[in-house]
Amino acid sequence: MFGLMQQRPLLISSLLDYAERYHGAIEIISRSVEGPIVRSNWATIARRARQVANALQRLGVNRSERIVTLAWNHSRHLEIYFGVTCSGAVLHTVNPRLFPEQVRFIVDDAEGSYVFFDVTFAPLVEQLAPQLSRVKGYVALCERDAMPAVNVPNLLCYEQLLADESDDYAWPSFDENTASALCYTSGTTGNPKGVLQSHRSAVLHSFALMAADTMAICARDSLLLCAPLFHVNCWGIPFAAAGTGAKIVLPGMKLDGASLFELIRDEDITFCGAVPTVWLNLFAWMEQNLNTTDQRHLKLKRVLSGGSAVPRVVIEKAHAYFGATMLHAWGMTEMSPLGTCGSLLARQADLDLEQRMPVHLKQGRTIYGAEVRIVDDEGRELPRDGRSIGEIQVRGPWVLSSYFKGAGGKVVDDDGWFRTGDVAHMDQEGFITITDRAKDVIKSGGEWISSIELENLAVSHPAVLEAAVIAARHPTWQERPLLLIHRKPSADVTKDELLRFLSDKVAKWWLPDDVVFVDELPHTATGKVLKTNLRDRYAGWLERA
Ligand code: ADP
C-alpha cells in the first residue's frame, strides 16, 4: 500500500518562492565588482531572476541547456543562480581561477551555450572565445556604460538584457530529478569531471544545511558567503538561505581580512563558512588590528571551516575573537558537498575549549542523509573504533551516481558506494578523522604518517602562516615527511626551532626529515595547497648529495 501524501516535486523554485513571499524585504548585500556595497533583497532577487528567465527564453535557451557563469560572489550571480535553475536550464558555474585551458575544456565539455561573465574576466573570455565554437553569446555582468571592449561574438549587456524583459514569469513544474547545476571538480590530475546536481538533490541538501546539527541556517541569520558561488554552488548555502529567508552577504572579489571584518561588523553577520586559508588571513589581520577594532558587538557566533583540515589556531582564534565554536565540516563536490559536520554532542557541549579541542580537530561527524563508512583495500567495512584507517566511501541522495557524460566510467559500486579518495578513521559516534588524501599519504617504512596532522601542528607555531607536508623519497624508509613553511611577514623561525616545537607533540619517527622555507605555497583554484606541484619540485629533496 502506498501512503496518501502529495507528490509535490522538490524544485529550487519552491525555495525562491518561499523567500520572496515571506522574507521579500530581507537584504542581500554585495560588495560589487565595481567596488561599492550594493543592497538588494529577496523580492528583488526573485523579480530579476524572472527577468533572467524571460531573457533566456527570448535567447532561445531550451530546458537543460547549460548556462555558464564566470563570476564572483554578488547579487547578479545569485539572480542567475535562480533564474537559470528555476526555469529548467542548468547552471554551470566555472571556476575562473583555473588555468585558461581547463576553463576552455570545462565550458566545451559541458556544451555551454551562453556565458555570463564579470568584466574582470573579459580578457579570459576574449582569449577563449575563438576556441569555444558552441557558445552562442557572451553576457557581460554590468551596466550599458561599463561594457568592456572585448572582441567576442554576440556580446550582450546583462542590465540591458534584463531591462528589456518583463518580470512576469511563472516558474514551470517538472520532474524533481531534472538537472539543476553542473560543477566540475578541480581535478589536480587529469581533466576535470562534471558533477551534475538535480533539483531533488539540491532541495534535500538544503534541508540538511538548515538542520541544527549542521549549519543550522535559519531566518534570523545574516550569512557571509566566503566560499565562491563557483565552487560546489557555494556549498549549497544560497539554496538553503532561500528556503529560510536568511540574509545573505556576498563579499565580491575581496576576501582580505580588512574587507571581511568590515562586513562581519557592519552587516551583523551571524554565520560564516570559509576555507582555512580565508580564516587564517582574517585572523592574521585581526591580530594586527586588535587595538583599533572593537569585537564586543560582533554577532558572529557560528563559524564553519571546510575544504581542508582546520588548524588548531583557527579554532582558538574563532573562540578568542568571536566567542564562536568552530564547526569543522568535510565534504566534496561529488557530494554537493556536505558529508560531516562537527556539532557537539551533549557530553561535549560544556567542556572548555582545551578539553573539546580534539573533537574540533576531527572532520565532524556523519550527518543524517549522507551515509559514510571506512573500508579497507578490499572494500570491507572497518570497525568504527577511532583507529582503523581506510578509505572513506559515501552514498546518499546528494551523492553523485556518475560523472557528467559518464567520465571516468563506473564510479559507484553496485550498492551505490562512491570511493572518495580520502583516508580516515571513524569512531563509534560517526566522528571522522581524515589523515590524508589517498594520493598524499606518507608511508615511512610501511607505517603511515599523517601529513594533515603535521601541517596542523606546524601552523600552530606563531611564526608560521602556512605549512605543507609531503612525502619525499628516502633510501631507507622509501618515504619520509618533508615540511615546507611559509612564514608570517616579518616573523622568524629556524628549522631547529620548528623541529623542537613539534618534538613533544608527535612520535619521534613522525618528525620531518627537513624543513624548507618558501616565499609562498602553490594553491589549487579552490585554495588548497597544490601538493602535486610540491611533490614534483621537492620529492627528491632528501636524495640531494
Ligand atoms: P577539489 O579540491 O578536488 O576540487 P573539492 O573542493 O570537492 O575538490 O574538495 C574535496 C576534498 O577536499 C575532499 O575529498 C578532501 O580531500 C578535502 N577536504 C574537504 N574538507 C576537508 C576537511 N575538513 N579536512 C580535510 N580535508 C578536507
Side-chain angles (χ1 to χ4, degrees):
M1 193 187 333
F2 288 118
L4 293 173
M5 310 310 275
Q6 298 187 7
Q7 286 276 354
R8 302 282 300 164
L10 301 173
L11 300 179
I12 290 173
S13 54
S14 66
L15 300 168
L16 184 64
D17 280 345
Y18 176 83
E20 180 179 25
R21 196 173 164 94
Y22 302 110
H23 305 275
I26 295 297
E27 286 186 302
I28 309 292
I29 311 292
S30 315
R31 193 185 293 282
S32 61
V33 172
E34 295 82 3
I37 300 286
V38 173
R39 310 189 86 84
S40 181
N41 58 33
W42 276 116
T44 308
I45 295 288
R47 182 172 53 73
R48 286 170 57 92
R50 288 194 292 272
Q51 288 174 297
V52 170
N54 275 324
L56 295 177
Q57 198 166 46
R58 190 153 54 89
L59 292 171
V61 170
N62 293 317
R63 285 269 169 91
S64 297
E65 205 165 303
R66 268 75 68 204
I67 301 299
V68 176
T69 62
L70 280 167
W72 301 104
N73 285 16
H74 48 64
S75 54
R76 285 180 181 135
H77 201 173
L78 204 62
E79 295 155 10
I80 299 167
Y81 251 58
F82 289 102
V84 171
T85 56
C86 297
S87 63
V90 176
L91 173 76
H92 180 203
T93 51
V94 179
N95 183 343
R97 288 194 292 231
L98 295 171
F99 294 119
E101 169 50 27
Q102 283 181 314
V103 174
R104 185 208 61 76
F105 171 84
I106 289 173
V107 175
D108 197 48
D109 187 61
E111 299 168 37
S113 65
Y114 282 89
V115 177
F116 288 66
F117 67 99
D118 272 332
V119 290
T120 39
F121 303 122
L124 176 67
V125 165
E126 191 165 33
Q127 178 190 345
L128 295 180
Q131 302 162 60
L132 294 171
S133 55
R134 287 194 255 237
V135 172
K136 297 179 201 156
Y138 295 84
V139 184
L141 296 172
C142 60
E143 298 282 355
R144 188 91 236 151
D145 56 10
M147 283 296 280
V150 279
N151 183 15
V152 293
N154 197 13
L155 177 65
L156 301 163
C157 166
Y158 181 72
E159 289 302 333
Q160 184 67 55
L161 200 63
L162 262 60
D164 293 343
E165 297 300 338
S166 138
D167 61 11
D168 192 12
Y169 184 98
W171 298 124
S173 183
F174 40 75
D175 190 316
E176 63 184 14
N177 292 300
T178 303
S180 60
L182 180 60
C183 313
Y184 277 65
T185 59
S186 31
T188 35
T189 54
N191 276 327
K193 292 195 266 306
V195 176
L196 187 61
Q197 296 184 5
S198 66
H199 282 258
R200 174 185 153 82
S201 74
V203 172
L204 290 175
H205 184 261
S206 298
F207 281 123
L209 301 195
M210 299 173 201
D213 272 336
T214 68
M215 298 186 190
I217 291 174
C218 73
R220 292 181 299 283
D221 270 331
S222 174
L223 310 167
L224 178 59
L225 305 194
C226 290
L229 288 173
F230 56 72
H231 190 217
V232 211
N233 292 166
C234 187
W235 299 346
I237 300 174
F239 299 131
T244 52
K247 172 178 170 180
I248 289 184
V249 180
L250 299 154
M253 51 197 284
K254 291 203 143 174
L255 289 176
D256 60 285
S259 305
L260 290 183
F261 184 81
E262 186 186 308
L263 293 175
I264 290 169
R265 183 194 56 207
D266 297 350
E267 299 303 335
D268 290 332
I269 298 300
T270 58
F271 174 90
C272 176
V275 291
T277 322
V278 169
W279 288 121
L280 285 167
N281 283 334
L282 172 65
F283 292 142
W285 182 87
M286 287 178 74
E287 196 175 334
Q288 280 176 355
N289 293 275
L290 276 183
N291 297 332
T292 50
T293 53
D294 182 358
Q295 277 117 56
R296 277 171 308 171
H297 304 294
L298 301 181
K299 299 210 169 95
L300 181 52
K301 296 291 171 244
R302 280 161 32 242
V303 292
L304 179 138
S305 187
S308 51
V310 66
R312 164 188 275 263
V313 61
V314 168
I315 300 165
E316 287 167 349
K317 293 272 163 72
H319 181 78
Y321 295 167
F322 300 132
T325 303
M326 178 59 72
L327 285 169
H328 189 180
W330 167 84
M332 60 200 309
T333 306
E334 287 83 344
M335 45 196 310
S336 304
L338 197 64
T340 64
C341 190
S343 72
L344 299 175
L345 298 170
R347 64 178 170 74
Q348 298 158 340
D350 295 330
L351 300 177
D352 66 32
L353 183 66
E354 215 29 57
Q355 290 170 317
R356 52 185 160 79
M357 185 57 80
V359 184
H360 295 310
L361 289 172
K362 292 172 197 277
Q363 270 75 11
R365 64 191 166 86
T366 307
I367 58 170
Y368 173 74
E371 286 181 78
V372 180
R373 69 176 192 180
I374 314 281
V375 298
D376 65 14
D377 288 347
E378 275 75 51
R380 285 180 304 239
E381 183 168 2
L382 288 168
R384 285 181 282 115
D385 57 7
R387 273 199 326 266
S388 303
I389 293 180
E391 186 172 354
I392 309 180
Q393 291 189 334
V394 292
R395 69 177 180 189
W398 55 83
V399 176
L400 88 173
S401 59
S402 76
Y403 287 103
F404 186 54
K405 293 179 166 173
K410 187 170 184 299
V411 292
V412 300
D413 70 16
D414 291 343
D415 296 320
W417 292 103
F418 170 73
R419 300 183 66 131
T420 62
D422 285 335
V423 177
H425 55 76
M426 183 191 271
D427 70 15
Q428 192 73 42
E429 289 153 329
F431 278 98
I432 60 165
T433 303
I434 300 200
T435 55
D436 261 303
R437 283 189 116 169
K439 51 186 183 291
D440 294 337
V441 291
I442 303 166
K443 247 185 172 174
S444 173
E447 298 281 352
W448 285 8
I449 295 175
S450 166
S451 65
I452 292 185
E453 195 167 336
L454 285 173
E455 286 158 6
N456 281 345
L457 290 169
V459 286
S460 65
H461 189 285
V464 174
L465 183 65
E466 207 176 13
V469 174
I470 60 156
R473 288 190 298 276
H474 190 278
T476 317
W477 303 105
Q478 286 89 45
E479 288 177 357
R480 289 291 302 156
L482 176 70
L483 175 59
L484 295 114
I485 294 287
H486 177 191
R487 280 178 283 216
K488 282 186 189 159
S490 71
D492 208 11
V493 63
T494 63
K495 166 185 163 180
D496 290 341
E497 281 164 355
L498 266 176
L499 291 178
R500 217 173 311 127
F501 176 76
L502 294 175
S503 62
D504 59 351
K505 300 178 179 67
V506 293
K508 195 157 177 290
W509 63 277
W510 273 42
L511 278 183
D513 279 29
D514 202 358
V515 180
V516 182
F517 294 97
V518 293
D519 292 338
E520 204 178 359
L521 287 170
H523 289 95
T524 66
T526 52
K528 288 170 209 184
V529 173
L530 188 52
K531 293 225 180 145
T532 44
N533 178 301
L534 291 175
R535 277 196 296 267
D536 288 347
R537 273 154 56 189
Y538 294 102
W541 183 263
L542 301 176
E543 296 168 335
R544 292 165 314 149

